[in-house]
Amino acid sequence: MAGTIEKETFSFQTEVGQLLEIVAGSLYSNREVFLRELVSNASDACDKLRYAALTDAKLAPSQDFAITLEFDTKAKTLSISDNGIGMNHADLLETLGTIAKSGTGAFIEALKAEEKDAPGLIGQFGVGFYSAFMVAAKVEVLTRRAGEDEAWLWSSDGKGSFTIEAAQRDTNGTTVTLHLKKDAKEFAEEARIRHIIKTYSEHISFPVKLGEETLNAAEALWTRPAKDISEEQYTEFYRHSSHAYDAPWHVIHNKVEGTLNHTSLLFVPSTQPFDLFDAERKSHVKLYVNRVFISETTKDLVPAYLRFLRGIVDSQDLSLNVSREMLQTDPKLAKIKSQVTKKVLSELKKKATKAPEDYAKFWGNFGAVLKEGLVEDPSLRDRILEVCRFTSTGEDALTSFVDYVSRMKEGQEAIFYIAGEDAAKLAQSPHLEGFKAKGVEVLLLSDHVDEFWLQHITEFDGKPLQSITRGAADLDNVKTEEANPDEDKTEDADLADLIAAIKVELGETVKDVRPSNRLTDSPVCLIADEGDMDVNLERLLKRHGQLEHGMPRVLELNPNHPIITTLAERAKAEAAGDDGLLRDAAHLLLDQARIVEGETPSDPSEFAKRLGAVMTRAFAS
């Protein structure tokens, strides 16, 4: 029996303790949002019980769902009660003692670095309960899970530990009682509480009561016509439903009537949610059926590449009795998913076209996620591609494929790109030199997903996509705007002897050695041969343990670079075969090409010896 269990003391998870140190010891101008978080949690608890009662009538509450606020000005306490699902001993340990999310350590570090914006980060991470310690010196949680007899009291001062003990509660639900700090006594005043609820919780779908009075509208916002909803109301509903602190970047409120009726109220955040790149790739769009909450993470409600969306989808045509597992294979849900996805992509296309600068902010936050759809959703690949934007060498602003093609040079037959991990570094790559000289634009692709969608999309508008780090760079047919293109052109050096010498020295380390028409300033570069795996894809697969050894690459020489022309003359000498400097230079050129790409020399010790030997000879001459 619960009554025989004595009070137990537990330590907070390390990360929670660090979080509370920052939150509890700081002052914020918007501390009032703690009440929104607790009321929102109470609303979620009511939603969960309402759903559970659909399949287990014994769980149905004896009274209508409601959230009740009580305060005591003299005692400086504020309590928030609900008659929702409640918690048991295990729930309390899991929910109010830990942060069960990956990346917690990184979150704490971000919180420490941006302490002034701690509430924003707390909301971003979805741990709103702990915001109570911004105003409370002590927090007590009295709770009883629906369908169980035992009640429990959780208590903490937020200083490293909490206690759980058996308690008494007549009905299921949860009461959170805050013992307010001296500087937070305003939150035990009626006028202040009314203002906060009106500001932040007007559209909670359950009544929020103070005494006998209901303080909020207690209606589902999405059921009202869009023309009757203000921007402020949308923003507060977004913050309530997603536990966020930012304002939405875009609101999509859509009602579909016909063979399958549903309403969606979706928000695109203006900042990246903390779990955006979690391996689980969870959706956070809530599913309702006739305004009854069903699930927060229905897998097939929106595709994983739209997981940045927040909000709700409410359908009148799904069955209330269907289980969450059966929902995953419901053909009606699949149709809703398709309609919602197409609507979102349509809205993004409008924004990209009408407000490109604003759209660039969205793309910076969520472009890498959206591009996952190019791999995962072949049926909508063309629509997704329409809203994709890319950094390039030709434009300060982001560009689309359509705009890139419109700027292609006469004689240019391919859409050129270079892929890597850092757009700024890519912009300095020696592979770009010949393209820049000819004024040929190159896309700079620096997201991890880029290499994977490039395996599925190999052309656009009849123009092949071509990596400038693979195969020959055929720029001879590209027409430039030069009046006399041959006026200052120097004759390429004869590299035959040098190439032969380098091939002999490097052997199978390289696949081939040849003159380059892509280099103008650098002496050498490495490329993948036509038909071989691109350089960046090979690098990614090695890093993830999916490839042990890469293919030998082609070493290209700039026939107009002083180093190469000097070596070419040296290679023509009769004694070139015994020339130690020439042999050292072959290895140094290969290592130089590797270093420029961000790699290390194959043998750093030998690299240092050769460099020292060449420098000694240079200084001695």
Side-chain angles (χ1 to χ4, degrees):
M1 291 293 293
T4 63
I5 299 178
E6 297 180 357
K7 181 187 291 189
E8 302 169 280
T9 301
F10 302 89
S11 296
F12 281 117
Q13 179 189 20
T14 302
E15 290 84 357
V16 176
Q18 293 173 338
L19 168 67
L20 290 175
E21 282 181 22
I22 297 170
V23 171
S26 304
L27 292 173
Y28 304 104
S29 59
N30 61 339
R31 288 196 300 173
E32 61 191 25
V33 296
F34 83 89
L35 186 53
R36 183 194 73 190
E37 293 298 315
L38 297 181
V39 169
S40 186
N41 288 345
S43 173
D44 290 344
C46 293
D47 267 332
K48 289 174 182 176
L49 181 56
R50 184 163 63 176
Y51 177 78
L54 293 175
T55 53
D56 188 349
K58 292 181 295 186
L59 297 180
S62 56
Q63 297 178 318
D64 291 339
F65 288 109
I67 300 162
T68 304
L69 306 179
E70 295 182 1
F71 67 93
D72 186 327
T73 303
K74 186 175 181 181
K76 296 198 297 294
T77 60
L78 172 65
S79 66
I80 302 92
S81 299
D82 66 70
N83 55 342
I85 192 74
M87 290 177 280
N88 57 25
H89 188 280
D91 295 330
L92 286 170
L93 278 176
E94 180 180 352
T95 308
L96 302 186
T98 64
I99 304 176
K101 293 191 179 214
S102 60
T104 303
F107 162 66
I108 295 297
E109 291 305 312
L111 194 59
K112 289 177 179 177
E114 299 291 338
E115 189 170 325
K116 61 182 182 299
D117 189 35
L121 285 167
I122 293 166
Q124 188 181 20
F125 196 65
V127 288
F129 169 78
Y130 298 117
S131 65
F133 287 96
M134 288 194 288
V135 299
K138 180 182 179 182
V139 177
E140 294 177 322
V141 180
L142 177 63
T143 186
R144 174 178 158 187
R145 188 171 181 85
E148 300 183 9
D149 296 327
E150 297 89 354
W152 305 93
L153 178 65
W154 180 100
S155 180
S156 177
D157 61 4
K159 295 179 179 177
S161 65
F162 59 92
T163 62
I164 299 178
E165 60 186 301
Q168 293 294 319
R169 183 183 169 94
D170 295 336
T171 60
N172 59 269
T174 300
T175 299
V176 179
T177 301
L178 309 183
H179 297 265
L180 299 168
K181 298 177 180 178
K182 290 181 180 180
D183 63 357
K185 60 183 180 181
E186 64 187 276
F187 298 112
E189 297 173 359
E190 182 175 342
R192 190 76 169 98
I193 294 170
R194 284 177 177 276
H195 172 75
I196 294 171
I197 297 301
K198 268 297 184 189
T199 302
Y200 296 111
S201 305
E202 175 68 8
H203 300 292
I204 294 280
S205 55
F206 300 103
V208 180
K209 295 186 173 184
L210 187 62
E212 296 299 316
E213 183 183 357
T214 298
L215 302 182
N216 64 323
E219 66 174 344
L221 182 72
W222 62 88
T223 62
R224 294 168 52 186
K227 63 181 178 62
D228 296 339
I229 304 173
S230 68
E231 182 180 344
E232 290 76 16
Q233 289 171 325
Y234 275 132
T235 296
E236 288 312 323
F237 181 80
Y238 159 71
R239 289 172 172 167
H240 148 66
S241 63
S242 58
H243 298 275
Y245 285 75
D246 60 325
W249 175 79
H250 188 54
V251 179
I252 305 171
H253 191 178
N254 187 45
K255 188 172 184 178
V256 176
E257 295 179 325
T259 56
L260 184 61
N261 301 300
H262 69 271
T263 300
S264 57
L265 176 52
L266 302 172
F267 303 91
V268 179
S270 56
T271 60
Q272 286 186 354
F274 191 80
D275 61 352
L276 185 63
F277 294 103
D278 277 2
E280 293 183 46
R281 303 165 79 222
K282 283 184 179 179
S283 160
H284 292 286
V285 175
K286 298 178 181 179
L287 175 64
Y288 286 75
V289 175
N290 279 319
R291 295 182 296 282
V292 175
F293 172 73
I294 302 298
S295 175
E296 184 174 9
T297 57
T298 304
K299 292 181 180 178
D300 289 328
L301 186 54
V302 294
Y305 62 86
L306 295 182
R307 62 185 177 274
F308 52 82
L309 291 172
R310 298 296 187 263
I312 65 93
V313 173
D314 187 357
S315 173
Q316 298 81 49
D317 296 326
L318 293 172
S319 171
L320 273 171
N321 295 320
V322 71
S323 70
R324 287 189 175 97
E325 290 71 27
M326 291 172 63
L327 274 173
Q328 311 307 322
T329 56
D330 192 311
K332 291 180 180 178
L333 190 65
K335 187 172 182 180
I336 290 174
K337 174 184 178 180
S338 176
Q339 291 174 336
V340 168
T341 302
K342 289 176 181 177
K343 178 62 178 177
V344 172
L345 292 176
S346 174
E347 288 290 309
L348 291 177
K349 183 179 178 180
K350 289 179 187 176
K351 290 284 282 186
T353 304
K354 295 179 180 178
E357 290 185 6
D358 193 25
Y359 188 76
K361 298 175 185 175
F362 160 81
W363 190 256
N365 283 325
F366 306 116
V369 174
L370 189 58
K371 281 188 287 187
E372 293 173 10
L374 296 172
V375 179
E376 299 172 359
D377 199 345
S379 65
L380 292 178
R381 188 170 287 158
D382 289 343
R383 291 197 187 202
I384 298 170
L385 203 56
E386 286 180 333
V387 298
C388 286
R389 295 295 182 267
F390 310 96
T391 304
S392 86
T393 59
E395 291 284 301
D396 291 334
L398 295 172
T399 186
S400 65
F401 271 161
V402 171
D403 290 338
Y404 178 99
V405 170
S406 71
R407 295 190 297 268
M408 285 174 61
K409 295 289 185 180
E410 183 182 350
Q412 180 183 344
E413 298 179 353
I415 296 171
F416 293 109
Y417 70 87
I418 180 171
E421 298 179 351
D422 185 321
K425 290 181 180 178
L426 289 177
Q428 303 301 317
S429 171
H431 296 89
L432 292 168
E433 292 171 359
F435 294 87
K436 289 180 179 178
K438 287 257 188 176
V440 175
E441 186 173 356
V442 179
L443 300 178
L444 308 174
L445 307 180
S446 57
D447 291 321
H448 288 314
V449 71
D450 287 328
E451 282 292 359
F452 300 100
W453 67 259
L454 285 165
Q455 309 307 308
H456 299 268
I457 299 175
T458 57
E459 63 91 26
F460 177 81
D461 194 24
K463 308 290 192 299
L465 272 64
Q466 183 175 329
S467 169
I468 67 168
T469 62
R470 181 171 59 187
D474 187 7
L475 297 174
D476 293 339
N477 295 327
V478 176
K479 300 292 190 296
T480 65
E481 298 176 0
E482 298 173 15
N484 298 297
D486 298 322
E487 185 176 304
D488 298 320
K489 188 172 181 181
T490 57
E491 188 173 338
D492 290 348
D494 179 6
L495 303 184
D497 293 322
L498 177 61
I499 287 174
I502 292 177
K503 283 183 176 180
V504 169
E505 182 63 26
L506 297 182
E508 295 183 357
T509 309
V510 292
K511 186 172 185 179
D512 195 9
V513 182
R514 62 191 182 208
S516 175
N517 67 349
R518 79 185 78 220
L519 296 173
T520 60
D521 301 319
S522 301
V524 288
C525 71
L526 281 168
I527 66 159
D529 202 7
E530 196 74 50
D532 287 349
M533 187 182 298
D534 195 37
V535 173
N536 188 55
L537 179 58
E538 180 183 295
R539 189 182 295 126
L540 286 174
L541 293 178
K542 281 182 180 178
R543 180 175 302 160
H544 289 90
Q546 297 179 30
L547 186 69
E548 187 173 352
H549 301 293
M551 292 285 292
R553 297 193 218 150
V554 175
L555 181 66
E556 287 195 348
L557 311 179
N558 180 355
N560 296 310
H561 195 281
I563 290 178
I564 302 302
T565 56
T566 301
L567 290 173
E569 286 301 314
R570 196 176 184 104
K572 292 176 183 177
E574 290 185 9
D578 298 320
D579 191 337
L581 186 145
L582 202 58
R583 291 199 299 270
D584 283 343
H587 292 280
L588 288 173
L589 288 172
L590 177 59
D591 284 335
Q592 180 181 356
R594 285 181 172 141
I595 291 169
V596 168
E597 290 189 357
E599 300 180 9
T600 57
S602 55
D603 188 335
S605 177
E606 284 299 313
F607 170 75
K609 287 180 182 178
R610 291 190 181 103
L611 184 59
V614 170
M615 291 178 67
T616 299
R617 295 184 67 158
F619 292 142
S621 60

